[in-house]
Amino acid sequence: MEPILLTGNAAAAWGARLAGVDYVPAFPITPQTEIIETLGAWLDSGAMPGRMVTLESEHSMLTAAGAAAATGVRVFSATSSQGLLHAMEMLYTVAGWRAPFVLVNVSRGLSAPITLEADHNDVLAARDSGFLQIHCTDCQEVVDSVLLAYRLAEDTAVRLPVMVNLDGFYLSFTREPVRLPDLAAAREFLPPFDPGSMRFAASAPQSQAVAVLGGSPYSYFRYETHLAARNAISVYQRIAAEFESRFGRERGAVEAYRCDDADIVFFMIGSFASKAREAVDRLREAGRRVGLLRPRLLRPYPAEIIASALLGVRGVAVVDQNISMGQGGVLHTELAAALYGRGSAPAILTSFIGGLGGREIAPQEFFEMAEVTFRAVDEGRSPPPRLLYTETELRELRKLQSVALAEREQTSPAGRATP
Amino acid sequence: MASRVLGTALFRSGFTVQDAPKYGAERRGAPIFSTVRAARGTAINERGVIHNPDLVVVADDTLLTVPAAGILQGLEQGAVVLVNSRESAETWQHRLNLDVQLVILPAAAEVEDRAELPHIGATCAGAAASLLGVIAPDVLAAAIGEELAGLGELVVEQNRRNALAAYRAVQDKKGLVREGKAVAAGDYTPPAWVELSVDDVGIAAPDVRAVANSVQVRTGLWRTLRPTIDYDHCVNCWWVCSSLCPDSAIRVENNTPIIDYDHCKGCMICVGVCPPHAIQGEPEYLAQQREAQSADTGAGDNNGTDTADG
Amino acid sequence: MSEIISRMKDLPSAHLLGAGTPMCSGCGGLEALHQIYDVLGENTVFVNAAGCMTLLSVYPFTPFRGSWLYTAMASAPAGAQGVRDALDLLIQQGRLPPEEDLQVVVLTGDGSAYGMGMSATSGAMDRGLDFIYICYDNEGYGNTGQQYSSATPHGAATATSGGTGGFPGYKKDLFSIWAAHQPSYVATVIASEPLDLAKKIAKARDMSGPRMIIALSPCPTGWDYDPRESVAIGKLAVKTGVWPLKEYENGTVTHTRIPRERPAVEEYLKTQGRFSHLFRPQRNEALLTEIQQRVDRYWAQAQ
Ligand SMILES: Cc1ncc(C[n+]2csc(CCOP(=O)(O)OP(=O)(O)O)c2C)c(N)n1
Ligand code: SF4
Ligand code: SF4
Ligand code: SF4
Ligand SMILES: [Mg+2]
């Protein structure tokens, strides 16, 4: 099929349509709303069979999604930011049910302060929930990942819900050429959902998600969920290989771009990773041996694949579009944990916090992150983490502060005059 | 409650103490467990279940024979088991066939009334204090005052009397309990850790595909009072008692109500609602004694008795 | 499963809910549930919110002959939505024979129904969800030790209202809030009146749309009385007019029992430790009068 121009949100909706989802519990939130509106229009016009229900909250939406999946239908849902956090209790809960379905998250910064633009703290807050996570860099990956996500979630060796993440604005509202798999090919790749023993029916009564007493059975069920998630690495690789042979697009668990002879690599997820890809090309032109390593699959964490891609690499510049308060970048922490104790690991990991709340990352900043990392490799010591924030930005912020402050003082009853 | 009295008494006697209740899913009326640890001078780092107790106090002897209760697990030679029972130490020694020192609490309050039940805790604590040999009677009395203060002076007094009587009753065995030793690190049995396999989701999710298998749980053990139907007076209005029994423990056969003693929790609702007063309540132990006697004499006593169910 | 229940003799004699559950001895909520289960039968899926009843199914046991799904405290009605929609879809698509269909039943405590789960319940009614909602109302957060909820009656002592006046708030009128949504059916029941209960549940069973039931559930543990009194206290709640038995249908509220000679409400209050501070060390005349007046006013308006 010829490529057409689609936004990331439209690509996500197409993913659901091609997957032949039966049921879409929904709730609006910017920048995700377009996904459910698109699906709603298709369902209303009969372009696609199935049923959509708008719940009264994301907490309810996730409950309905998990319950429907546990009853035996194919479920799709989407949310973002505050919505994902509002549903947090149910993310853990439905993963514990082992209910397979797909949830698209359109990443957006968390309140407070409230904002609309991209930032990964929302999706990373769900990293321990039992949902698997696939992260996208462009709109093509969005539609492909939704199909891959269903195969992964429903695989009998996995049986867990999967989240597909795309960044607000940079993908959600951005049109790019996308090749849509045709319906027949999509169906061949993704056969109908077979719920196995998990369903509700008069002749097959069962009590699902019952309480346990004591740490021993609890440990068993929780660890089984973990083992199923670990299983998902090889299952994903198998599915991605099949996807590539059918559709010709490489979708492995980790993208390694020009890493083979690289001295240093950027390590990041999300839409800004394509900016890093661009920077890698420019740096290569300037004679610097730089690459990009980008996990598509963040849960389960493909530690072995990452470690072997880093063989021979001397320094890694980790760019985190998130921040764990009081600790720093989540990707940086996790990469350090995955590499620690491996003799072959790169000696230097540098940590950069950039792109919070959709803040741009300029090409020069990528070049400079590379230089800082090269220097650290030469000196044999990692510098402290750095927030990507310029003098100009700080000056502008100071102006905002003076406006905010002046406003308060002018209206104060004490009538203190400010110069 | 017993554990808190004992804990406070040991604490007031100069020991470092740790006491804790253990919660299960069961609600009021179900058997409960608690633990007390005491050490001289040193901090107590161990927590949770006591694997090899030096003293086990059993307030309800019906629990002794229930394997699931696990009361006698981990008892090492020389450990002491204090049982509140109407039966003799020899009987229990014979029944349980264990190399432990059994002490019977003869002052066992005959619990005819549930309101009396709380006193059992203080009584047991009194006897236990005596067996430990390191708690003086006045310290025990003070501990009871401290722990039960919220219940009013009358209750405190009643409990004090019971506890001190129990203390005296086992005085000949004062100090019978000896201090246990910590697990040695030099020579230990390593835990048999296993690798969990990735099980099929059909068994690896917390789902139950059996139906109504809760009947395997014998909640009849909770019972301290037993309802018995006098069929001579029963007028077969089964819809009264069998609908109102919360626990589905009265089934109906040929218009006749039959109590399922494996599950009857002894709430006595049926006793109160039966229009012709055909259901009598009595202490469970009396009913059991009666049963034992009739079994000895070979006379069948089938009045509403149904222990084979479920 | 659709036999008519009009006399005591018509009450189900086969009890479907398995014994051996860990509910308290004398639990008025379990008493109601087992009566309800006898009428609804096993072709049901109970969707539960956190509360005492969550412990009905503790691995590997269940008292149910039909199905069960535990969700969370706030969203059981949303779980019911997912199950109902999925069953409809499967039947529509021919993947599930219609005889495999299940009645979807939400089971929650008052803490969920009157509080945390209220918006999920309201949403389910707005959407006309085809389900039955059973709220067993023990007038507090029982599972966590009976703290006050918005179902706690005025003056009751709870773990978080132990002052001299007890709970300062007033029991929320959930019946009216639910009825304001104009669902297919709303009813109050109590296990101590099994015939009234069974009639209403049978009626709800044979209807469609949102069918909402509140069962006042005397709770020996939380209300502080001897378990044997559960039925007597339930009967007093009805006789004194504290718990009106009624139903809403087609825009009309009907009382299914109008207590003629209402004994003083204090006859009911006296039976429970949670109200003992109204009588000891001395009578709290003002509070007792206020409670009585509110009940009187209710019945004056109802007639
Ligand atoms: C989100 C959340 N907050 C708190 C709890 C703790 N909790 C469990 S049961 C319960 C009380 C529920 O009260 P109610 O709905 O009246 O049911 P009851 O316990 O009285 O049966 C609470 C607060 C929980 N499970 N989930
Ligand atoms: S209520 Fe009493 S008289 Fe009626 S059936 Fe039961 S035991 Fe017999
Ligand atoms: S005492 Fe009566 S009402 Fe209570 S559980 Fe036993 S049989 Fe049922
Ligand atoms: S606390 Fe009350 S509602 Fe909960 S199980 Fe016990 S008696 Fe029933
Ligand atoms: Mg409650």
Side-chain angles (χ1 to χ4, degrees), chain A residues 349-412:
Chain A
L349 299 187
T350 53
S351 171
F352 300 92
I353 308 293
L356 297 186
R359 181 213 181 260
E360 271 288 349
I361 303 182
Q364 296 82 351
E365 291 187 303
F366 279 102
F367 304 155
E368 186 61 13
M369 287 189 272
E371 287 317 309
V372 168
T373 309
F374 273 117
R375 265 201 307 279
V377 167
D378 290 343
E379 289 164 10
R381 201 174 52 198
S382 301
R386 158 161 305 283
L387 174 71
L388 306 186
Y389 209 71
T390 63
E391 278 175 9
T392 320
E393 280 178 287
L394 185 59
R395 223 176 12 251
E396 291 301 318
L397 184 90
R398 291 291 183 233
K399 277 190 210 154
L400 299 181
Q401 281 175 324
S402 69
V403 173
L405 191 66
E407 198 106 27
R408 195 188 63 188
E409 297 206 334
Q410 272 164 13
T411 56
S412 80

Side-chain angles (χ1 to χ4, degrees), chain C residues 154 232-233 236-237 239-242 262-280 282-296:
Chain C
H154 189 54
I233 287 175
L236 271 172
K239 272 193 200 147
T240 57
V242 165
R262 278 186 286 112
V265 175
E266 66 173 272
E267 297 307 314
Y268 168 73
L269 305 176
K270 262 192 242 166
T271 58
Q272 303 155 51
R274 62 175 174 160
F275 293 114
S276 63
H277 60 101
L278 299 182
F279 304 98
R280 282 186 306 274
Q282 65 265 346
R283 283 175 66 85
N284 187 334
E285 213 58 69
L287 202 43
L288 285 167
T289 308
E290 188 198 345
I291 293 171
Q292 182 67 55
Q293 278 173 349
R294 290 180 76 92
V295 173
D296 293 344

Side-chain angles (χ1 to χ4, degrees), chain A residues 277-341:
Chain A
R277 215 187 274 143
E278 181 67 19
V280 165
D281 289 346
R282 301 288 83 78
L283 284 159
R284 288 271 174 178
E285 282 168 13
R288 300 302 245 166
R289 292 201 305 204
V290 178
L292 163 71
L293 199 62
R294 172 176 73 94
R296 286 193 181 90
L297 197 60
L298 199 68
R299 280 293 179 279
Y301 194 80
E304 297 307 317
I305 302 172
I306 290 170
S308 57
L310 288 177
L311 281 177
V313 171
R314 299 166 66 205
V316 184
V318 185
V319 188
D320 272 290
Q321 200 172 356
N322 67 80
I323 184 159
S324 168
M325 301 301 170
Q327 159 63 9
V330 170
L331 295 184
H332 178 258
T333 310
E334 293 209 332
L335 182 62
L339 296 178
Y340 189 84

